[in-house]
Amino acid sequence: MRLVTCLYENKERVGALTEEGVVFLPYPDMNTLIETLSPAALALTSTAKPVPLEDVQLLAPIPRPRQDVLCLGMNYRDHAKEAATYDAEAFTKEKPIAVYFSKRVSRAGDPDGEIPRYEGLVERLDYEAELAVIIGKTAKNVKAEEAGEYVFGYTVLNDVSARDLQTGHKQWYFGKSLDGFTPMGPCILTADETAFPPTLDISCAVNGEERQRSNTSLLVHGIPEVIQELSAGMTLLPGTIIATGTPAGVGMGRTPPEFLKQGDVVECTVQHIGSLRSTVG
């Protein structure tokens, strides 16, 4: 099932995508749906009349995450190599362990939305296509072999990054967390729709030129390992979003580096989920 948050008749609604459009579900928001989804509500997808997709405006599937988005840095080997080439001091990993950071998100960016440029503050604006994992129930001390039971679904996330702030401050929080730096969508693919852990093609294009292409099977630290490690020390609530990292091909990894400029169109795609399109404002 593919679940969406959308705007319909000036009201935010959640629903399921069908071939005919969107079937609205009786939940006030996606966080509530994730926490309390029932078989009776799912049955509506086969009986209710769908609204044509062209009559709704898709929003980020989880517009207002309950917690900061948890992120993995340099979780594809090819991206770790290009990052170290760009700035060895900022990006070299001394040990083969996962690198975690977080993105503050007051409001996630919508599909077909705008990435703010922040002229005068940001000079090196970059893109990162990522598969995001959405936790479906409270996770604490979860074993890797049980991790799949805690995954609600997956979506596409663009980990927009201000490289000058990221490297200049010697930590990543500010350069990753500016308003509008977390576009997400277009939908949530529920976990039952793909194998666990998922092996999905992932790509990114800028102005129609493919820049990134890989597969989530190439993650250095896989989803079961990540859920086990994080839940050993923190409680992951329903709706928690984990961004699993980006493959090679980001702007800072090009020769010479090539950062986003006003008017650029970034399209991040994950197999079976869809494409997340954003325009730099």
Side-chain angles (χ1 to χ4, degrees):
M1 183 176 294
R2 290 164 178 79
L3 299 171
V4 297
T5 298
C6 59
L7 196 64
Y8 178 68
E9 295 182 344
N10 296 316
K11 184 178 179 181
E12 190 174 299
R13 307 286 295 271
V14 294
L17 287 178
T18 70
E19 292 183 359
E20 292 78 28
V22 180
V23 173
F24 296 133
L25 298 173
Y27 297 94
D29 54 55
M30 189 64 75
N31 281 318
T32 304
L33 183 154
I34 291 168
E35 201 164 18
T36 61
L37 184 63
S38 69
L42 289 178
L44 291 173
T45 61
S46 60
T47 59
K49 183 179 180 180
V51 173
L53 191 57
E54 57 267 25
D55 291 346
V56 306
Q57 176 189 344
L58 290 182
L59 306 177
I62 305 177
R64 290 163 290 277
R66 284 177 170 164
Q67 299 174 304
D68 282 5
V69 174
L70 300 173
C71 305
L72 280 100
M74 299 176 288
N75 203 28
Y76 289 80
R77 288 187 175 85
D78 55 0
H79 175 58
K81 182 178 179 181
E82 70 176 359
T85 301
Y86 176 75
D87 190 325
E89 181 182 357
F91 294 108
T92 297
K93 292 175 64 173
E94 296 181 357
K95 298 179 180 180
I97 58 176
V99 173
Y100 296 110
F101 62 95
S102 66
K103 288 176 75 80
R104 183 178 179 86
V105 186
S106 57
R107 176 65 165 81
D110 299 328
D112 291 312
E114 182 177 282
I115 298 171
R117 183 67 187 84
Y118 290 105
E119 186 174 356
L121 176 64
V122 177
E123 298 298 329
R124 300 176 183 178
L125 186 65
D126 212 346
Y127 54 88
E128 295 190 3
E130 307 204 9
L131 173 72
V133 178
I134 299 163
I135 297 296
K137 59 183 180 178
T138 301
K140 181 67 175 176
N141 295 319
V142 175
K143 301 301 183 185
E145 58 269 24
E146 301 169 349
E149 301 172 18
Y150 291 80
V151 175
F152 178 82
Y154 309 92
T155 193
V156 186
L157 185 147
N158 185 350
D159 178 18
V160 179
S161 306
R163 299 299 187 194
D164 39 355
L165 298 182
Q166 183 182 9
T167 58
H169 284 268
K170 306 301 180 186
Q171 51 76 39
W172 299 359
Y173 191 71
F174 185 38
K176 296 278 191 174
S177 299
L178 302 187
D179 291 345
F181 272 25
T182 313
M184 191 189 310
C187 67
I188 294 172
L189 179 74
T190 54
D192 60 307
E193 294 283 347
T194 188
F196 184 82
T199 56
L200 303 173
D201 292 334
I202 181 170
S203 63
C204 180
V206 178
N207 300 327
E209 176 193 6
E210 186 172 280
R211 299 281 185 86
Q212 295 181 281
R213 177 163 291 279
S214 190
N215 187 280
T216 59
S217 64
L218 299 176
L219 292 171
V220 176
H221 303 282
I223 295 167
E225 172 193 344
V226 167
I227 291 175
Q228 174 175 286
E229 184 167 54
L230 288 175
S231 70
M234 62 176 68
T235 301
L236 308 179
L237 299 177
T240 295
I241 301 164
I242 303 173
T244 57
T246 198
V250 299
M252 72 175 179
R254 295 172 69 82
T255 306
E258 190 172 348
F259 297 107
L260 296 172
K261 58 185 183 301
Q262 187 174 24
D264 282 348
V265 176
V266 184
E267 192 165 8
C268 302
T269 303
V270 176
Q271 185 182 10
H272 301 319
I273 301 176
S275 295
L276 171 65
R277 186 176 183 271
S278 307
T279 302
V280 180

